[in-house]
Amino acid sequence: MRRAGTALLATCATVAALTAAVVPARAQGHAPDGGGSGHCTGSGPVVCHFDVAPGTYRVRVLLGGGAGPGATAVTAETRRTVLAETPNAAGRTLRRSFTVDVRDPEGEPTGAPGTPGLDLTFGGAAPQLASVRVERVRTPQILLAGDSTVCDQPGEPYSGWGQQLPQYLTDRISVANYADSGEGSQSFRDNPALFPALRARMHHGDLVLVQLAHNDKETDRDTYRANLTAMIEGVRAEGGRPVLVTPIVRRWFNTDGTLDNDTALLVNGLGVDLPAEVRTLAAEQDTPLVDLTALTRARVEELGPEASKALYLYDEKRDNTHTSARGATEYAALVLGELRDQKLVEPRAVR
């Protein structure tokens, strides 16, 4: 038996087919925790399962090798995008790697347990998988505290921006998404499965991004500030680096095509301007700020009332709060851009 830290290797055979898909055979070897195995099945998409314990895993994949051109995207666990669709020329291969946070529950902390172990889905327009290798690692982390606009949404067409963030990162950093649907600043702080669990996962130097406002509809100003302050202090007590994130806007236009209204800009039922309070608190606490309200407002107004529907679930659900996969992907890129510009992540951690 190999020692802990050794890798799982899935070997794959090319199948001559019209789709030129690469169909994995059987994963062999020992799991990084000293036991277990893995296997891959299917051709489009290819689904791989590895029997591993909770932890952070680096995944190295060899894509391509088919008779025709390929285009492969990878999702992990609860629909997290870990690799955007990646093309390869016919007969050519390319290597990519990323990290996956394996935990229980695998998606929203108060949601369904999911499947034990690590699950990867190789999809895209023409998926081609030649091999996949998994090993347990410890990397710096980005931990997320948030609501349904951030979380790992379990079902289509919903997607949170935290669910799309991993695709922009290299295997030198991992994302642990503790965002949970329906949570406000008080409930996230109080629930043992949420902020206390996130705090227990922190290592020195880890980033903790906090976006909580959408469900603070009747939270008074002092309580809201106290909750965010307590989370800032809790993160710092563990050696982490808190980052406050203002909430994404709701797609709620005025007649002049702007979002200059309380509904869109998250002014709550008590008249508390929640994004403004986050901005003020960040300055007072000397805490980095990602002003996602300003960034998403600019993007939605740029697209206008019609084109901006695609960022949200207006067509599918008449929903102007929750994002589509496209909207979540764009908003994740905005977050990542701010983290990069403020030098909160190392350049080599960003794709």
Side-chain angles (χ1 to χ4, degrees), residues 23-301:
V23 182
R26 185 178 185 277
Q28 299 175 340
H30 299 292
D33 61 354
S37 61
H39 63 275
C40 300
T41 58
S43 57
V46 177
V47 179
C48 297
H49 173 77
F50 294 92
D51 180 19
V52 297
T56 301
Y57 291 87
R58 176 175 290 125
V59 180
R60 294 187 173 95
V61 297
L62 182 65
L63 305 176
T72 308
V74 188
T75 58
E77 298 292 87
T78 306
R79 304 175 58 242
R80 303 175 210 159
T81 303
V82 290
L83 186 67
E85 188 165 274
T86 303
N88 65 272
R92 303 296 297 270
T93 59
L94 51 87
R95 298 182 185 276
R96 294 291 185 270
S97 59
F98 47 84
T99 59
V100 180
D101 174 51
V102 176
R103 63 180 185 273
D104 182 19
E106 68 177 42
E108 294 181 85
T110 65
T115 305
L118 169 60
D119 292 293
L120 302 169
T121 299
F122 295 81
Q128 294 186 0
L129 173 63
S131 68
V132 53
R133 187 178 181 90
V134 176
E135 61 181 336
R136 189 165 188 169
V137 295
R138 176 170 168 174
T139 66
Q141 301 177 104
I142 298 176
L143 299 107
L144 305 179
D147 53 35
S148 58
T149 66
V150 185
C151 75
D152 289 345
Q153 289 281 359
E156 296 180 352
Y158 294 89
S159 183
W161 63 255
Q163 201 164 17
Q164 301 296 335
L165 186 61
Q167 67 185 292
Y168 296 112
L169 302 170
T170 71
D171 64 1
R172 294 180 179 273
I173 194 167
S174 63
V175 176
N177 191 353
Y178 279 81
D180 197 73
S181 294
E183 307 298 340
S185 61
Q186 190 72 61
S187 64
F188 195 91
R189 178 185 169 192
D190 292 344
N191 191 323
L194 300 175
F195 187 69
L198 178 155
R199 183 172 173 174
R201 282 284 308 274
M202 276 187 278
H203 301 131
H204 183 79
D206 286 345
L207 284 177
V208 180
L209 276 55
V210 180
Q211 185 215 280
L212 290 161
H214 276 274
N215 298 302
D216 283 279
K217 299 174 184 178
E218 298 296 328
T219 307
D220 64 80
R221 173 183 177 275
D222 290 344
T223 300
Y224 185 64
R225 288 172 56 88
N227 287 332
L228 295 184
T229 299
M231 283 188 270
I232 290 170
E233 292 172 349
V235 170
R236 287 175 172 162
E238 303 298 335
R241 296 182 291 156
V243 179
L244 292 181
V245 182
T246 59
I248 69 169
V249 295
R250 295 189 178 98
R251 187 194 155 276
W252 200 275
F253 283 91
N254 292 320
T255 56
D256 64 358
T258 69
L259 297 181
D260 188 17
N261 59 76
D262 290 355
T263 300
L265 300 182
L266 284 295
V267 178
N268 75 9
L270 300 180
V272 180
D273 186 333
L274 299 171
E277 293 301 331
V278 175
R279 296 181 190 110
T280 300
L281 189 62
E284 292 174 356
Q285 294 287 329
D286 194 23
T287 301
L289 173 73
V290 173
D291 196 345
L292 195 54
T293 304
L295 293 168
T296 56
R297 176 184 181 179
R299 179 57 175 153
V300 170
E301 289 183 344

